[in-house]
Amino acid sequence: MLEIIRIPVLSDNYVWLVHEPVSKETMVVDPAVADPVLAEAEKRGWTITQIWNTHWHPDHTGGNAAIKEATGCHITGPEAEKERIPTLDTLVKGGDTVRLGDVTAQVIDVPAHTAGHIAFYIADEKTVFVGDTLFAMGCGRLFEGTAEQMFDNMQKLSRLPGDTQVYCAHEYTLSNGEYALVAEPDNQALKERMKKVRDARKRGEATVPTTIALETATNPFMRAASVNELAERRTAKDNF
């Protein structure tokens, strides 16, 4: 069983520190910064051996160089964004696999937020690291891609087992949920979820990871019935 630690950084980012206890390998997903990540690993007696990047944005790669300098770790990320992430050692694309000790992850292409965005799906651990593609009750902004691509991403991810844990990179749940209530005002599951989210945030608690099942029930972007509906909802959320 992987040990996955949430490290809150910047204003609303989450960096994921992932330890595989058999091999004792430790990996970081999308390190925005280095110091809190290195400190958390040191506190636990873990040595960081890898970084996995989902996309090039600086709040996902900003810690790469310093962590690599401190640990000599190996950095894997999207082949399509190699020019934007100069610290990469291994380039991957959809259909490739990467390993952390005895654990294998499948790379899934999920372009739209950025042109080469990828996700890492670990079937045996029922875990997927989605970067800024899928959020709790939300999806990433369409900075470098299209609504068609994001709709396809939502369909791909919705086909994963419902109990898959979804590790996204931001605490956007409350604002996403407020928009979701506008998009689907009659969704009872959504209303019930938002009560829990509001209470959790009042207590200062994180609301991720989420699950595929929870998102298929309450996420207006995953629930969009067509590309046009997703596009309309994305535009509405951008202006919400």
Side-chain angles (χ1 to χ4, degrees):
M1 284 287 291
L2 293 177
E3 296 179 60
I4 304 176
I5 306 302
R6 180 195 306 106
I7 305 175
V9 300
L10 305 180
S11 62
D12 54 29
N13 277 71
Y14 290 133
V15 177
W16 302 103
L17 186 65
V18 185
H19 184 68
E20 200 280 293
V22 176
S23 67
K24 302 193 183 308
E25 275 210 73
T26 302
M27 176 269 292
V28 186
V29 181
D30 287 347
V33 293
D35 289 348
V37 179
L38 291 167
E40 187 68 30
E42 183 178 8
K43 182 178 82 173
R44 295 172 180 276
W46 297 347
T47 299
I48 295 171
T49 57
Q50 295 190 51
I51 292 171
W52 294 357
N53 289 145
T54 63
H55 66 293
W56 69 267
H57 283 165
D59 64 327
H60 293 254
T61 61
N64 278 13
I67 294 173
K68 187 172 186 174
E69 182 177 355
T71 65
C73 68
H74 189 94
I75 306 180
T76 298
E79 180 177 29
E81 297 184 359
K82 62 184 178 181
E83 304 301 329
R84 313 293 290 269
I85 315 176
T87 49
L88 292 180
D89 298 303
T90 295
L91 309 176
V92 294
K93 60 185 182 305
D96 291 341
T97 58
V98 293
R99 294 185 65 85
L100 180 69
D102 291 337
V103 172
T104 300
Q106 176 186 351
V107 178
I108 304 173
D109 283 329
V110 285
H113 182 67
T114 65
H117 202 304
I118 58 175
F120 297 95
Y121 172 51
I122 307 174
D124 289 346
E125 296 284 328
K126 298 180 178 179
T127 293
V128 63
F129 295 100
V130 294
D132 285 357
T133 292
L134 176 64
F135 294 118
M137 293 184 282
C139 75
R141 288 176 179 261
L142 305 178
F143 287 130
E144 297 178 7
T146 65
E148 287 85 356
Q149 288 175 316
M150 188 60 82
F151 182 77
D152 185 55
N153 295 339
M154 296 297 101
Q155 299 305 301
K156 286 180 187 176
L157 294 171
S158 70
R159 290 193 288 270
L160 299 180
D163 57 353
T164 301
Q165 295 282 310
V166 178
Y167 291 85
C168 57
H170 291 275
E171 182 57 67
Y172 289 164
T173 311
L174 186 59
S175 61
N176 284 345
E178 297 292 358
Y179 167 71
L181 288 170
V182 173
E184 295 193 349
D186 299 323
N187 185 327
Q188 190 59 37
L190 173 57
K191 294 177 184 178
E192 293 171 3
R193 182 180 187 184
M194 276 301 288
K195 290 177 186 175
K196 295 176 182 177
V197 167
R198 290 187 182 112
D199 289 345
R201 294 307 292 155
K202 284 178 183 175
R203 296 191 296 267
E205 296 173 0
T207 62
V208 295
T210 178
T211 67
I212 292 295
L214 192 52
E215 295 314 306
T216 56
T218 61
N219 186 318
F221 300 98
M222 188 169 270
R223 292 168 57 78
S226 66
V227 172
N228 285 342
E229 185 170 47
L230 185 143
E232 290 169 1
R233 290 179 171 187
R234 185 63 261 178
T235 299
K237 176 64 169 67
D238 290 346
N239 296 295
F240 183 66

